[in-house]
Amino acid sequence: MFHLKTKRTLMSVAVAGACGLMTAHAQAQQATEQSKTNEPVSGKKADSKDADKIQEVNVTATRYSTSLLRTPLAVTAFNQESLGRMGVTSAKDLANEIPNVTIVQSNDSAIQVTIRGITSSNTTEIGDPAVGFHVDGMYSPRPQGAQALMFDVAQVEVLRGPQGTLFGRNSTGGTINVISAKPDFSGNYGSAEVELGNYNKRQVHAIQNIKINNDLAIRAAIMKVTRDGYANQMQDFSEANFPSKGWIPDGIPDNIQRWNRKVDPSDYYTNQNEWAARLSALYKVNKDWKLHATYEEFQDSSAGGTAFKDCESTKGTRYACPTGWGRFDLKINVPGMTDMKIRTLRAGSNWNISNDASLDYNFALADQRRSQLYDNDKGNQTALPFQITQDHPRIAGGNNWGTWPLADQYQQTVDSKYVSTVHELQLKQRLGDLQYVAGLFWMHEKNQINYEVVDLYRAPVGLASGAFYAQPDRQVDAKAVFAQADWKFAPTWTATAGLRYSVDKKTDKDGLNLGGWWGQKEFYNGGFDPGTPGTPGYHLPQGNDLNYGPGGSAAAYAGYGTPSKNDHTDSWRKMTWRLGLQTQINENQMAYAALATGYKAGGFGDRTLACGGSATDPVQRKCADGKPNTETFLPYKPELVTNFELGYKGKFLDNTLSLSAVAFAMNYKDQQLTNTYFVSKYITPVPCTSDQPKCDVYETWRTINVGNTKIRGLEVEWDYKPWPGAKIGGAFTLLDTKIHDYGSYSDDYNCDARVEFGDAPCPAPYAGLGPDNGKRLYDVTNNSLPNAPKRTFMLHFSQKFDLPSGYSITPYIKSNWRDKAYFDVRNDEFKHIGRYQKAYALVDASVRLDAPEDQWHAELFVRNASDSKAVYWRGAGVGAQMNSAPVEPRMFGIRFGFNY
């Protein structure tokens, strides 16, 4: 926790720095570029006489519409114009645009949002995000839904800190609320915009508002975007070539060519191919009662994102990329294919019972269907010659537990269907100096998925392993009752108290985990016979050998035997709350203090065995601790966040400067981490070799609970209009995350390479009894959370120049700087193999020409103007070969739009 002296110092620095913008260049972000045009939610333009003042921005963060600068929460807001200027088409494009917020794309068409270091990396049908995603205030349960195109929005609001009372479910880090533009009764009008950019980008966006009569209005909007991938995608026809180990080329690719085909750049990994459409209606039943409905479709046919070889990290070492290997090069034998459609119906009723009371009911039905094929290795997992220790398995008595010369892995979502319904009822009322909102919430999900992961070269003898997850009925049911009241107990003082009681239940019915992680002939389903290992005739599948199509369905795994079903259920209950105190210092300044909690339900994984393997394996594993290899669902507990916040907001200098400052202290308990983690050790037929030191360790993809993290920080946002036409704004953040009580962290990352590069060696394996046996224990106390840079700074400036005949031209420049960030709780900065990103800055710029009366506009733009090579993730490939997920390269183009 910050000491009082430290808090005062930080606040003084923040206020002094913001006010100093009158003579220095500051940056943008505050309610974001909403302050650029600062249009209210209604979309009405400010009067010209007020154009050089900070306009009022209303937000719905308290479930009431309140002025941003009078809302006692850390919230940043964006309108459609600012989203367009930043090139934002989905939530992932907001990365680096919001204080203490990081957003990255995962491999399964989802996004992972981190706010103040709090995140969730489990984007599957059994995972829950740590940052709630809402559309028009309605919860959207699947993180894939956040990929839906952001178009024709009135506002995007990002709330930082736990929102456990009013927004509730899965909002331990915060909440993103996308508020779509609603039909209005001002008349018939519309707009359209076209964008052309590098990598052959084509984007079109159009809206039409129609007033049918005084009681009914409708609004339609459509958006489509296509762009070539910036990856340099080459077909993979690799052959293993290491004769001394028995790997002799024969002119036939050793990786499987079943899906290999030449694709155009428009279908490369990292491309865009999406469209979305929305139709909304607003009906006035009478002066006190309104009905609204919206139908929306989103289609994603992109190839998917990817990581690349990190050639910068390994430059000058024997692990360096092959000569001529480019920054975005990939070798692909499984081109990416995605077919994701999300259909959503939202409807509701607003009844003004009286001047002081209203009753709102809202309903959402979402149907998400997805299939996806994805190359897991992309040529990034190929061993260098000196790394190869695996003998060809036709060699009798050879090393069967070494490093293979090639990797060939793919995953596919054969089909999935996620259906969710959300209901929310809210009663709002004012009783003199008291106002409150009370409500009921119910969400139900029924998810189905058939998902497969295949590794075509698996120890010990190179047979393929396939794991198929047939999950026909996974359900999540969440109910809550909540209330929050604000009491103005003195002319300038308001107290807030809120409660939410949540009940969450998760159920898995009839799910099957088929196949196994051992290489087995059963995967070939009788279509291919490799022969007998250790004999000259032993033949691994290659080229077109598997074109007949093994795998891909539950029936194809019948040869493995049928395991027991994943039938399991569990539930959790929790009360979360919020207490607050707010004072209106004067008309333009307020301060507040708040103490709030957030909660995310626990869960469980797929049925597995305590020491791994499968119940249908021909030879069952023996646990090293002597215990039986019994079934487990690897359950995990809820995670909890408690946040204390002090905030200040105000306007100065005749309403030309706005300032918001928030200091916070958070306790993050039982954080849920999802990755491949240690489960147990088992006894292997032969001892592990030096290049395969973990061959006797059972690790699996699972969620665990760790520690009690202390998170402290400061967020300062400002917006300033120093002279006519000028806009300067910015944000500055401090973030200090310290891990405590993590438990037993095993530091077994790249042990051999660390010795080679002179880095701190791995600890010796723990030889004692108990669950830590075999772990290389390392104390991560006081280390930082991943993706939690200690400092960020954002700065933008624009100047509108009026031209003759009513035209205007506006140049704009923005820079976002982020401090060093780690990608693992080890916080390593090893030479060449460090999992971190140094401090970096991204610069965007544009120049816009506006016609008189907003008839049309044209804009030239560039994003990542310096072509920064920063990354959002970095980790090991094969040994000390490194992979990384980079920020997008320089993007530039032109936009043209018109209103009618």
Side-chain angles (χ1 to χ4, degrees), residues 195-197 845-847 859-863 891-895:
E195 179 180 316
L196 305 176
S846 67
V847 58
E859 184 174 19
L860 295 170
F861 67 91
V862 59
R863 299 186 68 191
M891 299 285 182
F892 56 85
I894 184 171
R895 302 184 186 102

Side-chain angles (χ1 to χ4, degrees), residues 210-286:
I210 301 175
K211 176 185 176 182
I212 296 178
N213 54 44
N214 290 334
D215 297 322
L216 178 63
I218 62 174
R219 188 180 185 100
I222 188 169
M223 186 176 191
K224 181 174 176 62
V225 55
T226 61
R227 176 179 53 74
D228 293 352
Y230 51 83
N232 179 30
Q233 186 165 315
M234 300 169 284
Q235 287 184 272
D236 192 356
F237 301 107
S238 298
E239 286 189 80
N241 185 358
F242 206 69
S244 65
K245 292 288 185 181
W247 301 96
I248 302 172
D250 59 3
I252 301 174
D254 282 325
N255 50 22
I256 299 302
Q257 301 296 300
R258 175 182 173 186
W259 283 292
N260 201 353
R261 59 187 174 87
K262 186 174 179 59
V263 298
D264 294 327
S266 60
D267 291 320
Y268 284 0
Y269 284 100
T270 68
N271 72 331
Q272 273 188 282
N273 185 5
E274 303 159 307
W275 66 264
R278 181 187 303 128
L279 180 64
S280 303
L282 177 62
Y283 177 59
K284 295 180 182 178
V285 179
N286 54 47

Side-chain angles (χ1 to χ4, degrees), residues 334-351:
V334 183
M337 293 179 283
T338 301
D339 181 8
M340 180 170 72
K341 182 178 286 294
I342 304 175
R343 298 180 177 93
T344 306
L345 173 66
R346 293 185 297 274
S349 165
N350 171 251
W351 176 29

Side-chain angles (χ1 to χ4, degrees), residues 118-119 639-641 666-671 707-709 711:
I118 297 175
T119 192
E639 68 176 24
L640 306 171
V641 176
M666 306 171 70
N667 286 346
Y668 188 15
K669 184 179 179 182
D670 291 326
Q671 176 188 6
N708 184 8
T709 303
I711 304 174

Side-chain angles (χ1 to χ4, degrees), residues 4-74:
L4 183 58
K5 181 178 179 181
T6 305
K7 287 182 180 177
R8 288 174 175 168
T9 302
L10 292 172
M11 190 68 76
S12 299
V13 169
V15 174
C19 293
L21 289 173
M22 290 179 283
T23 57
H25 287 228
Q27 195 242 324
Q29 172 78 59
Q30 189 5 32
T32 233
E33 312 220 339
Q34 209 165 8
S35 303
K36 281 187 175 69
T37 61
N38 267 306
E39 293 180 6
V41 174
S42 65
K44 302 294 184 183
K45 292 283 186 182
D47 294 338
S48 58
K49 66 180 180 180
D50 295 325
D52 294 319
K53 297 182 183 298
I54 301 298
Q55 303 301 312
E56 283 295 319
V57 175
N58 289 332
V59 295
T60 59
T62 61
R63 297 294 192 175
Y64 282 92
S65 180
T66 58
S67 167
L68 176 67
L69 293 177
R70 295 194 177 198
T71 301
L73 289 167

Side-chain angles (χ1 to χ4, degrees), residues 402-687:
T403 299
W404 288 75
L406 293 176
D408 195 359
Q409 305 157 359
Y410 68 87
Q411 65 184 38
Q412 63 171 328
T413 299
V414 179
D415 61 79
S416 68
K417 181 180 178 181
Y418 301 163
V419 178
S420 64
T421 55
V422 181
H423 303 262
E424 187 158 321
L425 181 69
Q426 292 181 17
L427 174 64
K428 302 174 186 177
Q429 188 173 19
R430 298 180 185 272
L431 299 170
D433 293 327
L434 178 73
Q435 71 173 26
Y436 70 88
V437 54
L440 301 173
F441 171 87
W442 179 33
M443 184 215 73
H444 187 81
E445 277 189 276
K446 186 178 187 297
N447 299 330
Q448 169 269 322
I449 187 170
N450 287 304
Y451 173 74
E452 182 182 39
V453 182
V454 175
D455 186 342
L456 291 158
Y457 295 108
R458 194 72 173 177
V461 292
L463 298 175
S465 71
F468 193 90
Y469 301 89
Q471 305 292 349
D473 189 1
R474 278 194 152 147
Q475 298 190 33
V476 180
D477 194 82
K479 298 183 177 71
V481 56
F482 63 91
Q484 183 165 301
D486 299 310
W487 175 36
K488 190 174 183 180
F489 62 90
T492 60
W493 289 88
T494 301
T496 299
L499 287 174
R500 187 183 190 99
Y501 182 68
S502 302
V503 179
D504 293 277
K505 182 180 180 181
K506 297 182 179 180
T507 302
D508 190 354
K509 298 179 180 179
D510 299 327
L512 293 175
N513 296 352
L514 301 161
W517 292 106
W518 287 100
Q520 293 179 235
K521 287 193 293 187
E522 283 77 6
F523 175 78
Y524 307 124
N525 205 20
F528 177 81
D529 183 6
T532 304
T535 66
Y538 187 66
H539 172 64
L540 295 177
Q542 60 181 158
N544 297 317
D545 286 345
L546 301 185
N547 282 8
Y548 67 91
S553 69
Y557 282 79
Y560 286 87
T562 303
S564 57
K565 294 179 179 179
N566 280 339
D567 289 356
H568 194 63
T569 188
D570 208 343
S571 62
W572 304 265
R573 300 167 184 265
K574 186 64 180 177
M575 180 80 78
T576 51
W577 46 267
R578 179 181 182 85
L579 297 173
L581 187 63
Q582 174 183 347
T583 181
Q584 198 66 37
I585 301 169
N586 56 41
E587 184 180 357
N588 288 325
Q589 298 181 61
M590 64 87 77
Y592 72 92
L595 183 62
T597 61
Y599 145 85
K600 186 170 74 169
F604 51 87
D606 295 315
R607 180 195 55 79
T608 186
L609 298 177
C611 298
S614 170
T616 60
D617 285 342
V619 178
Q620 291 294 300
R621 289 183 179 179
K622 294 183 179 180
C623 300
D625 61 7
K627 295 181 179 179
N629 196 12
T630 54
E631 291 187 351
T632 176
F633 286 89
L634 300 175
Y636 53 93
K637 299 182 294 185
E639 68 176 24
L640 306 171
V641 176
T642 302
N643 177 45
F644 176 67
E645 200 164 274
L646 294 174
Y648 169 86
K649 300 182 181 185
K651 289 184 181 181
F652 306 91
L653 305 179
D654 193 25
N655 290 343
T656 61
L657 170 66
S658 67
L659 172 69
S660 170
V662 177
F664 57 89
M666 306 171 70
N667 286 346
Y668 188 15
K669 184 179 179 182
D670 291 326
Q671 176 188 6
Q672 296 172 5
L673 292 179
T674 304
N675 209 321
T676 299
Y677 290 115
F678 179 96
V679 179
S680 61
K681 291 191 69 177
Y682 60 94
I683 299 171
T684 58
V686 295

Side-chain angles (χ1 to χ4, degrees), residues 797-816:
F797 171 76
S798 65
Q799 174 67 60
K800 180 180 178 183
F801 296 97
D802 292 323
L803 304 175
S805 304
Y807 289 87
S808 66
I809 189 168
T810 307
Y812 163 80
I813 188 168
K814 175 182 66 175
S815 178
N816 291 345

